[in-house]
Amino acid sequence: MGEGFVYALIEAMMAGLPVVATRVGWGPELVEDGVTGFLVPPRDPDALAKALQKLITDPELRRCMGRASRERALKEFTLSRMLQETERVYEEVLTRGYIRRF
C-alpha cells in the first residue's frame, strides 16, 4: 500500500466514511474490522464486493461505521498525535542511550 493510499484512507476516515481496505500494509493498522469499516483479503474481489454491498444496502451500518471511523481518526491520526508520538520515540532513544546528547 503506497503512502498516498494511507493518506486517502485517513482522509476518508476524517470525513466520517467507513473504509474497506485489504488486510495488507497499513489497512489493519488503520481500519478496525467491523467497527470503522471492513478488512478483506488481498486479491479477493468477491470479499471486496460483499463488504461494499453491506455498506451500500445498510445505511445505519454505514452511519455507525462512519461515526466510529471519524472518532478513531480524530483520536489516532492527527498532526498533534503524530508529533506526540515522534517526541516520545526521541525521548525513548535519548533515555536509553542509543545516541549521545549534544
Side-chain angles (χ1 to χ4, degrees):
M1 187 179 309
E3 184 176 330
F5 190 65
V6 171
Y7 290 130
L9 291 179
I10 293 171
E11 288 172 359
M13 293 173 76
M14 287 287 189
L17 298 172
V19 174
V20 178
T22 56
R23 293 183 190 275
V24 297
W26 284 93
E29 293 287 327
L30 298 173
V31 179
E32 191 175 348
D33 192 35
V35 177
T36 62
F38 294 112
L39 291 170
V40 298
R43 296 181 178 87
D44 188 342
D46 291 334
L48 177 62
K50 185 177 177 183
L52 291 171
Q53 187 67 31
K54 275 186 190 179
L55 292 173
I56 290 167
T57 59
D58 190 339
E60 184 58 27
L61 177 65
R62 198 168 54 242
R63 277 192 289 278
C64 287
M65 284 187 164
R67 204 170 18 254
S69 185
R70 180 166 170 75
E71 288 171 9
R72 178 170 166 77
L74 288 171
K75 181 180 174 189
E76 300 290 331
F77 307 121
T78 62
L79 177 60
S80 174
R81 172 72 182 210
M82 182 191 71
L83 292 173
Q84 288 172 354
E85 286 300 310
T86 301
E87 184 176 322
R88 183 190 62 75
V89 169
Y90 285 164
E91 283 296 320
E92 184 177 329
V93 167
L94 289 171
T95 57
R96 291 192 181 196
Y98 294 123
I99 59 174
R100 283 194 224 154
R101 292 179 191 235
F102 293 97

